Amino acid sequence: GQQVMQIPQYQHVQEGEDFTTYCNSSTTLSNIQWYKQRPGGHPVFLIQLVKSGEVKKQKRLTFQFGEAKKNSSLHITATQTTDVGTYFCAANFGNEKLTFGTGTRLTIIP
Amino acid sequence: NAGVTQTPKFQVLKTGQSMTLQCAQDMNHEYMSWYRQDPGMGLRLIHYSVGAGITDQGEVPNGYNVSRSTTEDFPLRLLSAAPSQTSVYFCASSYRGPGGGPDTQYFGPGTRLTVL
């Protein structure tokens, strides 16, 4: 089936350290989206990547889409307490559905 | 705009009971989807719709029915609730994206369902 692996499942970092989560697929993706879910909340859209090798930045967040369009990453520089939450990738395989990764839960140690 | 609304926010059912989770959006989105979220398993697609009158199954459709008679509404029906359906349910809507699939998903606040 069309699945996307997301690692790590959990990440605990000291405030100010960097954080990265990765999503990998064995099948070429049409596009990939990233979402953030705060504890007790609902997922909120962060960004969509469509082009091979695409890199997009939002302040301290950097999103990358691999050259083969099979993997993607989200990197946060100098984490802050406001970054706490679970980050999900959501892959589109060229059909009418999104397949979500299992998420990476980020906790910050002040 | 209210965005995506879901009711109820919380529900407790007994095994075998039926109920409908309501979802509505006021953004004129073509796509609407239902996901369930369980610990460690991310969001799994139950059913989705690409327009009024059109629905299709997702990854975990068993035990759930949907219909889409209007663009705005996409209710999810549990015909005979089971403890395995205890979960948080999210409804989402979106426009059609650049590749033809769903674009930015706007999620409702969720319904926390417990089946005893």
Side-chain angles (χ1 to χ4, degrees):
Chain A
Q2 294 171 333
Q3 295 181 326
V4 58
M5 292 277 296
Q6 187 171 359
I7 56 170
Q9 189 173 2
Y10 302 96
Q11 187 81 58
H12 312 284
V13 301
Q14 292 274 355
E15 188 174 6
E17 290 183 340
D18 292 356
F19 160 79
T20 306
T21 175
Y22 302 88
C23 280
N24 297 290
S25 167
S26 59
T27 309
T28 301
L29 305 176
S30 176
N31 60 73
I32 193 162
Q33 300 174 11
W34 285 91
Y35 291 81
K36 176 183 178 181
Q37 183 178 25
R38 295 181 184 275
H42 59 274
V44 175
F45 175 81
L46 293 175
I47 210 156
Q48 178 168 254
L49 305 172
V50 179
K51 298 177 182 178
S52 168
E54 191 168 17
V55 178
K56 288 188 176 180
K57 294 189 177 184
Q58 292 178 349
K59 297 182 180 179
R60 295 178 293 106
L61 278 61
T62 302
F63 304 84
Q64 293 188 327
F65 202 9
E67 293 289 340
K69 297 183 70 173
K70 289 183 177 181
N71 56 75
S72 182
S73 64
L74 158 59
H75 179 82
I76 303 178
T77 304
T79 54
Q80 300 175 358
T81 55
T82 54
D83 297 324
V84 164
T86 301
Y87 293 84
F88 293 97
C89 63
N92 182 260
F93 291 89
N95 54 25
E96 294 171 328
K97 296 180 279 190
L98 281 180
T99 301
F100 279 77
T102 50
T104 297
R105 181 184 294 181
L106 173 63
T107 57
I108 308 288
I109 306 165
Chain B
N1 283 353
V4 180
T5 58
Q6 289 184 240
T7 56
K9 290 187 177 180
F10 301 93
Q11 184 71 50
V12 178
L13 292 177
K14 294 181 179 179
T15 297
Q17 287 185 315
S18 63
M19 79 159 297
T20 299
L21 307 185
Q22 301 292 344
C23 175
Q25 54 95 6
D26 61 359
M27 297 172 281
N28 202 31
H29 286 163
E30 301 101 318
Y31 282 88
M32 294 189 76
S33 303
W34 276 103
Y35 297 90
R36 60 176 290 173
Q37 185 172 33
D38 303 292
M41 303 191 73
L43 293 126
R44 292 184 292 169
L45 183 64
I46 304 171
H47 286 285
Y48 66 100
S49 168
V50 300
I54 306 170
T55 64
D56 206 345
Q57 296 181 350
E59 182 184 357
V60 287
N62 292 342
Y64 308 94
N65 280 352
V66 292
S67 61
R68 184 123 179 247
S69 56
T70 67
T71 299
E72 295 78 18
D73 301 298
F74 192 44
L76 178 72
R77 297 183 189 86
L78 283 70
L79 298 178
S80 179
S84 61
Q85 294 178 305
T86 294
S87 188
V88 180
Y89 291 85
F90 288 102
C91 177
S93 72
S94 72
Y95 289 119
R96 183 178 295 273
D103 205 346
T104 304
Q105 298 272 292
Y106 292 85
F107 284 83
T111 295
R112 296 181 180 274
L113 176 67
T114 301
V115 182
L116 303 176

